[in-house]
Amino acid sequence: MKKIKTRDRILDTSLLLFNSVGEPNVTTLLISDELDISPGNLYYHFKSKGDIVEELFDHFEAEMQDLLDVPGDVEISLEQQSFFLHLLFETVARYRFLYQDLVNVLSRYDQLQTRFRRLLKKKTAAFMTICGSFERQGMITISKGQLTALGEQLTLTACYWVSYDSLSHLDNRDAVDPGRGVYQMMQLMLPYFAPDEQDQVSLMSQEYL
């Protein structure tokens, strides 16, 4: 069995701790204690907690960039849209420490602010691309103004769902439910679908509850 490198163990453990107790409550000493390594060993790989946060953000950003690269010239099916939302919320849940303390994290690590804003724009563009495909296929009826507003609503929900969901279990940050986020996203889009598609979307969304 391949041995996991210390650097990767530090990243994995840091992510677990950040998600479980919140990034502001985690110190490099806590990380090294959890790993049962010396602080000096950790310092050899990462000079500060900020370096760990930035590398985790690198991983998050790469996953999101790949997911949000939605081609604009293909016919997107309801199943593909559902799978896209599923993967999106799974990724958000995996790096939920960023979203649970979003404003505070970005205020402390200002080098991440521009990169996160860029991802927000890509999320909105991806949602509008999907809706645009549905419109071309005659699956939804939506005005340009409604499409812009819907894109922003979907981005807002994707961004703050984890924080909202966490309010019901503040004593257990690990009890996140990505499925309910997918359900809410599908419900936001539901009124714009044609009757046949509305029935399909309603059935599909129930699977996430």
Side-chain angles (χ1 to χ4, degrees), residues 145-163:
Q146 288 173 326
L147 178 58
T148 300
L150 179 60
E152 291 181 354
Q153 288 172 345
L154 292 170
T155 304
L156 184 65
T157 302
C159 190
Y160 287 104
W161 171 256
V162 168
S163 293

Side-chain angles (χ1 to χ4, degrees), residues 124 127-129 131-132 135 140-154 192:
T124 303
F127 296 140
M128 294 183 72
T129 296
C131 290
E135 185 179 26
I140 66 172
T141 301
I142 190 168
S143 69
K144 185 176 180 181
Q146 288 173 326
L147 178 58
T148 300
L150 179 60
E152 291 181 354
Q153 288 172 345
L154 292 170
Y192 300 99

Side-chain angles (χ1 to χ4, degrees), residues 7-8 22 30-32 37 46 49 59 65-66 76 96 109 141 144-145 165-166 186-187 195 209:
R7 185 183 185 85
D8 293 332
L30 177 60
I31 297 168
S32 60
I37 63 175
F46 296 98
K49 187 177 74 168
H59 295 179
Q65 293 278 16
D66 184 55
I76 298 171
R96 59 189 174 276
Y109 304 105
T141 301
K144 185 176 180 181
D165 185 57
S166 297
M186 296 177 84
Q187 292 302 305
L209 292 179

Side-chain angles (χ1 to χ4, degrees), residues 106-122:
L106 293 182
S107 65
R108 287 196 303 277
Y109 304 105
D110 56 4
Q111 72 274 20
L112 304 181
Q113 292 177 19
T114 300
R115 294 165 66 184
F116 195 89
R117 283 196 294 268
R118 190 181 303 126
L119 285 178
L120 285 182
K121 289 181 179 179
K122 287 208 69 170

